[in-house]
Amino acid sequence: MAYWFINTPGIGSIIVFAVGISVFIAYLRMLRWIQTTPPDPDPKNETSTSDVDK
Amino acid sequence: MTSIPSRESELERIVLAPLRRTSKQFYVVLAGLSLVVLLGAAALANQWRLGLGVTGLNRPVYWGVYITNFVFFIGISHAGTLISAILRVTQAEWRRPITRIAEAITFFALIIGMLQVWIDMGRPERIIFPFIFGRFQSPFLWDFTCVGVYFMSSMLYLYLPLVPDLARLRDRMTDAPRWRHWLYTVMSFGWHGNAEQHRRLEIAIGIMAIVIIPVAVSVHTVVSWIFGMTMQPMWHSTILGPYFVVGAIFSGIAMLFLFMTLLRRAWHLELWIGEKQYNYLGILLLVMSAFWGYFTLAEFLTTGYSTITNETAVFHAKLLGEYAPAFWAMVTANLVIPFAVLMRRQGRKPLGTFIAALSVIIGMWIERFLIVAPSLTRPSLGFMPAVYTPSLTEVAITAGSFALFALLFLLFFKVFPAISVWEVEEGQAVEAVRQKARELAHEGAQPALRS
Amino acid sequence: MTRWGMVIDLDKCVACQSCTAACRMENNTPVAGKNQADMGRTILWNEVLPLANSESPDASEMLIPRPCMHCDDPPCVKVCPVQATYRTDEGVVLINYDRCIGCRFCTVACPFQVRYFNWFEPEWPEALKAHLNPDPEVAPRPRGVVEKCTFCVQRLRKARETAQAEGRPFSATDYVPACVETCTAHARYFGDLDDPNSLVSQLAASPRAFRLQEEMGTKPKVYYLKQG
Ligand code: SF4
Ligand code: SF4
């Protein structure tokens, strides 16, 4: 029986951390993917501030 | 565009104003909230010093107000994300000015909700034990898993749409205090916002909007299973999962109304949060109220029609017994008042929705309480019904929790813009294009067809 | 394997509650005091409960001595997040006081309400303090943890030690919990349910035997013999 799997103290913690850490890493990579977008050669195209500026 | 004299658009000026200037009222509210939080903290310190005996809990009513708060705040947390996510996925244009507020509610409600579990523990210093000796058979572990994922997801979901605004703040608010400028700079992680980066951000937001819906549903289902997995009368029910989720969204929308209206007043956002938002969100609240009523009817009719003694004892305690005033207050607050106010279009205005939302918030808290406490007072073994009266400590800690929730929310929007500026601008652009298209179509069409 | 169980003959029981008193002295349960007792916070591992037979006003009341049922399929063990409560190989459900986080999930999951919580630091009047059971296994539990009937595991341990010291094999009849030993009416029996020849397993098979809330399916190991 696989009862030991849900019964052993510690395995639950491992599941919590495994799920948590993998989600965390996935999210971090998503952020990193956005961050590392190469900037345009022409800074005119950047829209980090309002269009009214230009 | 060249003719605009100010560097900033009106939107920016209005939205960023509260970040720049601090009014006297702000300090008054801040002080008031802090005072209540301190009161709650003092009560908590006392509880930790003496033990959980300072509450009104007893045998067999081992769970009370803290667990009620836990369920309630986790429910509130669905406000945000779920609503903002669903509206985003369905491309509802009117969502743009209110998504940020909704997402912030989610994030802070989750923090307060998780805090309640800790407050409820008999040995708070052993809080790490579930992370060392966790047994996965216990529904608590399911909770830790789901709430943990939900916490990270909602944090990211709040953060992602904030990034372009942060970059804007970084560039605009150079006169801000150093720590704040530093904060904006670090948090905008070198955002330059070219077309490609915008595309990536939109993709990420799109993914998160879809991911967060099942995660949010799982969270409240698992919260309900803490009760559903036991064999207590009226807890052991298969309807509990969906019932909790519906109630969560219901109370979430109400909380959104509350904070949206308050912030609109305080931050002068009337121009952006207006008729459309109140009308549509009001309809949503009405629909959720109907759903909630349906689930409540299903649950209570099934229980009340049966003759299972354990269950009918709880049923009678709720409908006719000592919990009857609370029960009927809940029905009034969750069904009668929202329907009376929101059915008419006139009611779906700031004042009307505020009243309805306040009533729903109170009603939903009572609902959570009526799920937790009455079942425990009528144990199936059938000895004398127990009595549970919350103590002053519990009242103080609850008040402190609500105040902390409001305080976090307020401070957050003192530092970050309450409206997602770039998304609203995008919305304006979309609207302009549509307008143009309509004009073009109109020119091409037969002149007599439309006036 | 031994499977400890108890049989309580309700025909013999006179509801004198000496089992409750003996349990308190054996297991060092604290004195709650009047205020706390009125709130329903007494800790009585064994309790004699009046249970109504039915809803009707002329229904007779059963007086039921109620220890922990030591369920074979215990819902309390299922829900504990840290395995602070567990079932031993011999079927006794115990609590690890150093592990319990005081979440009280088990107390709401137990259908028999036999689990008690330490709301405050345990207290005794001076006169009683001198009479605490010195056995370290029943040392007063700290505040904030759950406790309940253990079928007097400390007595089981002592019986095993005695048997070993005397150089004979341990027999299931070597030990009984304090309530069984005390019972003035000899209404309680204790022993190995897995041994078909033991008194308890024979009594448990009697047509008079029933268990509380059998329909819950938790397989309690405390049997009652019907009154009358
Ligand atoms: S009676 Fe309650 S505490 Fe005892 S084993 Fe059964 S469920 Fe657990
Ligand atoms: S109160 Fe203690 S024994 Fe009971 S479920 Fe929680 S940790 Fe386990």
Side-chain angles (χ1 to χ4, degrees):
Chain A
M1 272 271 287
Y3 183 65
W4 63 270
F5 184 74
I6 51 171
N7 185 36
T8 313
I11 292 191
S13 314
I14 293 173
I15 297 176
V16 171
F17 279 112
V19 172
I21 290 173
S22 42
V23 167
F24 186 70
I25 290 174
Y27 288 174
L28 266 192
R29 290 193 51 181
M30 191 188 262
L31 279 177
R32 187 87 188 121
W33 176 65
I34 297 171
Q35 188 188 13
T36 52
T37 323
D40 274 356
D42 179 7
K44 273 252 156 46
N45 290 342
E46 294 185 358
T47 55
S48 76
T49 44
S50 157
D51 301 332
V52 189
D53 257 3
K54 295 161 197 150
Chain B
M1 288 273 158
T2 43
S3 62
I4 292 177
S6 129
R7 274 177 77 241
E8 293 187 345
S9 67
E10 192 184 12
L11 171 66
E12 276 185 316
R13 222 182 45 246
I14 294 177
V15 171
L16 300 191
L19 274 62
R20 297 191 163 118
R21 275 185 306 278
T22 312
S23 64
K24 217 183 253 140
Q25 285 104 311
F26 177 82
Y27 287 117
V28 173
V29 173
L30 197 71
L33 288 176
S34 312
L35 201 72
V36 182
V37 172
L38 279 181
L39 206 74
L44 182 61
N46 190 48
Q47 174 181 312
W48 278 349
R49 195 169 57 88
L50 293 174
L52 269 176
V54 295
T55 64
L57 298 169
N58 55 47
R59 189 184 77 101
V61 192
Y62 280 109
W63 282 353
V65 166
Y66 299 146
I67 296 289
T68 306
N69 287 342
F70 163 67
V71 179
F72 177 78
F73 275 107
I74 300 282
I76 291 297
S77 81
H78 285 51
T81 323
L82 208 53
I83 292 157
S84 130
I86 289 173
L87 296 182
R88 223 187 272 269
V89 171
T90 53
Q91 309 257 322
E93 282 297 322
W94 55 273
R95 68 158 206 276
R96 290 177 188 274
I98 55 171
T99 47
R100 169 95 23 98
I101 299 177
E103 287 149 16
I105 292 178
T106 296
F107 184 63
F108 296 122
L110 258 182
I111 294 177
I112 306 291
M114 293 193 291
L115 204 61
Q116 300 298 323
V117 181
W118 196 30
I119 294 174
D120 188 63
M121 275 172 57
R123 307 230 29 130
E125 79 279 13
R126 294 185 182 170
I127 181 74
I128 40 152
F129 280 16
F131 300 100
I132 304 172
F133 308 113
R135 259 178 94 252
F136 207 67
Q137 192 182 21
S138 168
F140 270 168
L141 265 286
W142 314 347
D143 242 55
F144 288 130
T145 316
C146 293
V147 174
V149 172
Y150 189 43
F151 182 69
M152 288 187 281
S153 308
S154 61
M155 186 156 41
L156 186 66
Y157 192 58
L158 170 66
Y159 177 55
L160 279 178
L162 198 61
V163 172
D165 280 1
L166 284 167
R168 190 186 300 244
L169 290 173
R170 172 196 63 196
D171 300 346
R172 284 260 193 269
M173 304 248 310
T174 39
D175 51 339
R178 290 240 335 249
W179 67 272
R180 264 169 72 179
H181 195 254
W182 175 83
L183 190 72
Y184 297 144
T185 314
V186 170
M187 282 183 72
S188 54
F189 63 62
W191 170 267
H192 46 74
N194 64 5
E196 169 63 10
Q197 197 163 33
H198 255 292
R199 193 186 63 87
R200 290 189 182 184
L201 182 74
E202 299 270 4
I203 291 176
I205 294 178
I207 293 174
M208 286 317 294
I210 291 171
V211 164
I212 211 150
I213 294 173
V215 173
V217 171
S218 82
V219 165
H220 225 61
T221 308
V222 170
V223 167
S224 85
W225 283 347
I226 289 183
F227 306 98
M229 294 299 143
T230 70
M231 291 184 285
Q232 295 294 337
M234 287 199 81
W235 278 7
H236 189 62
S237 152
T238 53
I239 204 178
L240 227 56
Y243 190 27
F244 269 46
V245 174
V246 164
I249 302 176
F250 185 36
S251 58
I253 302 179
M255 194 54 104
L256 177 56
F257 261 129
L258 221 59
F259 276 8
M260 178 172 113
T261 308
L262 290 175
L263 209 60
R264 178 182 118 113
R265 271 292 294 272
W267 272 203
H268 308 293
L269 305 171
E270 284 87 352
L271 215 54
W272 314 101
I273 301 178
E275 208 172 312
K276 240 187 201 165
Q277 281 77 22
Y278 279 97
N279 187 24
Y280 291 165
L281 218 51
I283 294 173
L284 258 182
L285 189 65
L286 201 60
V287 170
M288 290 320 292
S289 168
F291 262 118
W292 180 86
Y294 164 66
F295 272 88
T296 308
L297 177 72
E299 165 80 342
F300 278 83
L301 186 63
T302 323
T303 314
Y305 197 93
S306 82
T307 47
I308 305 172
T309 16
N310 311 336
E311 304 236 325
T312 42
V314 179
F315 177 83
H316 283 297
K318 286 193 196 181
L319 263 72
L320 308 164
E322 75 265 35
Y323 289 102
F327 181 85
W328 296 109
M330 165 188 88
V331 171
T332 314
N334 280 353
L335 283 173
V336 181
I337 294 180
F339 266 87
V341 175
L342 299 175
M343 279 290 270
R344 293 169 310 125
R345 197 178 172 124
Q346 276 310 311
R348 297 196 292 274
K349 293 268 151 63
L351 180 67
T353 52
F354 191 85
I355 294 169
L358 199 63
S359 133
V360 169
I361 296 277
I362 297 170
M364 279 310 293
W365 194 91
I366 300 177
E367 196 245 311
R368 300 328 195 176
F369 182 76
L370 287 182
I371 287 176
V372 175
S375 288
L376 291 175
T377 63
R378 300 290 190 286
S380 51
L381 199 53
F383 41 88
M384 289 275 287
V387 192
Y388 167 56
T389 328
S391 72
L392 271 178
T393 306
E394 284 165 286
V395 174
I397 290 182
T398 305
S401 305
F402 274 89
L404 183 63
F405 179 46
L407 188 69
L408 289 175
F409 185 84
L410 188 71
L411 289 178
F412 181 81
F413 283 123
K414 190 76 190 81
V415 180
F416 301 105
I419 287 180
S420 183
V421 175
W422 69 277
E423 282 186 283
V424 171
E425 274 174 1
E426 196 181 76
Q428 286 168 339
V430 169
E431 192 45 45
V433 170
R434 283 207 186 134
Q435 185 64 32
K436 190 77 196 154
R438 241 176 273 139
E439 276 166 24
L440 285 176
H442 196 71
E443 272 168 31
Q446 297 287 338
L449 272 182
R450 285 186 175 221
S451 58
Chain C
M1 181 63 81
T2 334
R3 209 164 58 89
W4 299 110
M6 193 183 280
V7 177
I8 303 175
D9 190 339
L10 296 179
D11 242 356
K12 287 187 177 175
C13 170
V14 293
C16 65
Q17 307 192 48
S18 38
C19 45
T20 308
C23 174
R24 301 201 51 171
M25 296 317 289
E26 172 73 26
N27 292 301
N28 295 338
T29 54
V31 174
K34 175 146 181 21
N35 282 346
Q36 295 294 305
D38 286 347
M39 284 185 79
R41 285 178 177 174
T42 35
I43 296 185
L44 299 167
W45 289 8
N46 182 87
E47 214 172 341
V48 181
L49 291 172
L51 292 185
N53 269 339
S54 79
E55 301 265 289
S56 70
D58 54 333
S60 67
E61 232 172 25
M62 289 194 290
L63 289 163
I64 297 228
R66 188 240 48 204
C68 169
M69 304 289 136
H70 293 275
C71 309
D72 261 346
D73 197 352
C76 56
V77 169
K78 266 189 181 171
V79 298
C80 180
V82 291
Q83 207 178 55
T85 186
Y86 57 95
R87 185 182 172 280
T88 65
D89 292 340
E90 299 186 341
V92 180
V93 175
L94 299 178
I95 296 165
N96 179 349
Y97 310 115
D98 295 334
R99 178 73 70 81
C100 174
I101 61 170
C103 64
R104 309 187 301 297
F105 201 169
C106 53
T107 56
V108 299
C110 168
F112 304 91
Q113 282 79 42
V114 314
R115 305 177 71 93
Y116 296 81
F117 184 71
N118 285 281
W119 300 101
F120 291 113
E121 210 64 62
E123 269 174 38
W124 288 269
E126 279 308 318
L128 268 177
K129 238 181 207 158
H131 297 283
L132 288 181
N133 186 347
D135 194 305
E137 218 168 332
V138 285
R141 274 69 55 184
R143 135 165 79 87
V145 302
V146 162
E147 60 178 70
K148 68 159 190 72
C149 156
T150 62
F151 271 174
C152 296
V153 271
Q154 67 280 11
R155 287 181 162 228
L156 173 60
R157 193 203 70 231
K158 275 183 221 158
R160 281 228 164 85
E161 283 167 3
T162 314
Q164 205 177 16
E166 290 170 3
R168 59 182 169 82
F170 172 76
S171 133
T173 50
D174 281 356
Y175 127 84
V176 288
C179 54
V180 178
E181 186 181 330
T182 301
C183 182
T184 36
H186 297 287
R188 288 183 182 236
Y189 308 87
F190 187 80
D192 179 7
L193 285 172
D194 268 1
D195 175 2
N197 297 318
S198 75
L199 191 52
V200 276
S201 68
Q202 281 170 3
L203 287 173
S206 122
R208 281 173 63 213
F210 74 98
R211 291 176 288 179
L212 291 178
Q213 302 195 94
E214 248 167 310
E215 71 280 6
M216 293 274 186
T218 64
K219 306 198 189 95
K221 283 200 293 291
V222 174
Y223 290 79
Y224 293 89
L225 298 181
K226 211 175 260 152
Q227 212 169 332

